[in-house]
Amino acid sequence: MTNELNFKELAQRAISQPLVTHIYTADPSAHVFGGKLYIYPSHDIDAGIPFNDNGDHFGMEDYHVLSVNENLVAKDEGVALHVKDVPWATRQMWAPDCAEKNGKYYFYFPARDHDQMFRIGVAVGDSPVGPFKAEPHYMKGSYSIDPAVFKDDDGSYYIYVGGIWGGQLQQYRNHKWDAGNELPAPNEPALRPYVARLTDDMLEHAEPLRYVDIVDENGDLLLEGDTDRRFFEASWLHKYNGKYYFSYSTGDTHFLCYAIGDSPYGPFTYAGRILEPVVGWTTHHSIAEWNGKWWLFYHDSVLSEGVTHLRSVKMAEITYDEEGRIQVLKPYRE
Ligand code: FUB
């Protein structure tokens, strides 16, 4: 009863409410296509798997797309892709993203392949809400989780990928897998996500994968022990006033942070936090401009009363100061 009262009170103090409540949704990637706002979330379910540090309890099987109207009312557009229709995938349909090119919609998603390794797949559709038809194979050379696709002003598309712990990034060095690889020592550079420009057909990497460098004010790579600032998962890239903002989650310290650079490849200099911790272990987001305002899309577990793997997507306006710094949001009012 005490818990129930606390969560009700938290819900009242929350700066925004779940966009949908009939299903659980998480990891929102938002885009404006044809002037309309669409959100590409994970679809959280209770797969009956106990919590562990590997994230096995996130047993998602399909994706729903949300469309959002001018009054911030979201509509569930139904199932856009199911794991049973993806020949290479077996389970755990984690955080996706979508991009539009020449009237086609390209849906990017991570899942475990038949060897239980996370890979990134693409599915293609004629509508922003799907349905999407999966390519028979995952993207060549792809690994880990949380794809995010950014379209630059010159029409180039870039994909950002990576996540540690359950996301398996710690098992790779120089893009090669070895089960014996582990996280670096605290005084060594933290693991980095990767980026690549996409091919013209949007289905593969157009170039060798490059590391995304996140550096401190001295230009040094953030260290593994710097857990309040180092990359964990949930890459996102947006452009504001000609600068490239790479944002991400610090995972086990539960912050959404950002770093600023002059190129989609980086390097990106750490610039601060976007969102203080939410209820629930994970924090994952996207940022998009819509109707003349900038918005943060994020999730928390208030609706499920704190169940880590049952989250709800929300949106809140963000603002920048004159130097382009994002004003930190607190998800619950004092
Ligand atoms: O939703 C499953 C995983 O949890 C995502 O891929 C991570 O970013 C975290 O939100």
Side-chain angles (χ1 to χ4, degrees):
M1 183 54 120
T2 309
N3 276 348
E4 189 184 322
L5 285 176
N6 284 344
F7 283 111
K8 279 196 181 127
E9 192 250 339
L10 262 178
Q12 282 167 357
R13 288 198 288 112
I15 59 170
S16 54
Q17 298 303 320
L19 284 170
V20 292
T21 56
H22 67 295
I23 56 173
Y24 289 107
T25 55
D27 309 325
S29 291
H31 290 279
V32 178
F33 294 135
K36 201 162 174 195
L37 179 62
Y38 297 94
I39 301 177
Y40 299 87
S42 302
H43 173 201
D44 282 357
I45 55 169
D46 191 350
I49 300 164
F51 178 99
N52 63 29
D53 284 347
N54 215 24
D56 288 334
H57 46 298
F58 294 104
M60 298 86 104
E61 296 177 349
D62 66 9
Y63 295 104
H64 290 225
V65 179
L66 307 180
S67 59
V68 181
N69 75 13
E70 305 290 318
N71 300 319
L72 306 195
V73 175
K75 178 182 173 205
D76 176 359
E77 301 280 357
V79 177
L81 181 68
H82 195 285
V83 67
K84 69 178 166 41
D85 298 318
V86 183
W88 62 266
T90 58
R91 65 189 177 106
Q92 294 192 294
M93 305 288 263
W94 284 11
D97 195 13
C98 189
E100 183 273 342
K101 184 176 181 183
N102 298 333
K104 291 263 183 210
Y105 295 85
Y106 299 86
F107 185 80
Y108 299 84
F109 60 98
R112 285 186 192 257
D113 69 9
H114 292 275
D115 295 322
Q116 298 308 306
M117 300 304 295
F118 269 110
R119 307 289 183 181
I120 309 299
V122 193
V124 186
D126 294 318
S127 155
V129 299
F132 301 109
K133 182 169 171 31
E135 291 294 297
H137 302 288
Y138 54 77
M139 294 175 76
K140 288 187 207 81
S142 68
Y143 63 91
S144 198
I145 60 167
D146 291 0
V149 175
F150 167 73
K151 180 186 182 185
D152 207 350
D153 300 331
D154 66 358
S156 304
Y157 292 79
Y158 300 85
I159 188 166
Y160 299 80
V161 176
I164 62 175
W165 293 21
Q168 301 177 335
L169 198 61
Q170 67 279 5
Q171 295 178 333
Y172 292 83
R173 293 292 186 279
N174 298 318
H175 311 301
K176 297 256 179 324
W177 178 81
D178 185 320
N181 286 331
E182 292 176 359
L183 288 170
N187 61 350
E188 293 177 337
L191 294 175
R192 290 165 286 175
Y194 64 80
V195 57
R197 197 165 46 77
L198 290 169
T199 49
D200 285 345
D201 66 8
M202 302 290 278
L203 301 179
E204 301 288 351
H205 306 123
E207 57 190 1
L209 309 178
R210 302 187 192 193
Y211 286 119
V212 176
D213 287 352
I214 307 170
V215 299
D216 65 14
E217 54 286 2
N218 302 316
D220 297 325
L221 287 171
L222 294 186
L223 300 182
E224 175 62 23
D226 189 357
T227 52
D228 280 357
R229 300 196 298 175
R230 63 93 172 85
F231 174 84
F232 189 104
E233 61 188 2
S235 300
W236 188 255
L237 197 94
H238 76 281
K239 205 169 178 179
Y240 177 80
N241 275 354
K243 294 280 188 189
Y244 296 84
Y245 286 60
F246 179 79
S247 46
Y248 57 96
S249 166
T250 63
D252 54 342
T253 50
H254 317 291
F255 300 115
L256 288 180
C257 295
Y258 69 108
I260 302 176
D262 293 315
S263 151
Y265 294 114
F268 299 97
T269 304
Y270 180 85
R273 291 181 193 163
I274 303 169
L275 184 71
E276 299 291 353
V278 294
V279 171
W281 198 98
T282 67
T283 187
H284 189 126
H285 73 301
S286 62
I287 294 171
E289 188 179 18
W290 179 58
N291 279 351
K293 292 180 176 175
W294 284 91
W295 299 90
L296 176 73
F297 301 82
Y298 65 106
H299 66 226
D300 73 14
S301 296
V302 170
L303 183 65
S304 68
E305 303 196 338
V307 180
T308 306
H309 58 280
L310 297 179
R311 302 159 290 179
S312 303
V313 165
K314 300 177 158 191
M315 62 189 284
E317 189 183 349
I318 52 167
T319 53
Y320 300 79
D321 71 12
E322 285 177 0
E323 274 143 27
R325 289 190 178 266
I326 297 174
Q327 307 298 290
V328 190
L329 285 181
K330 290 186 178 165
Y332 315 100
R333 295 181 195 92
E334 299 290 329

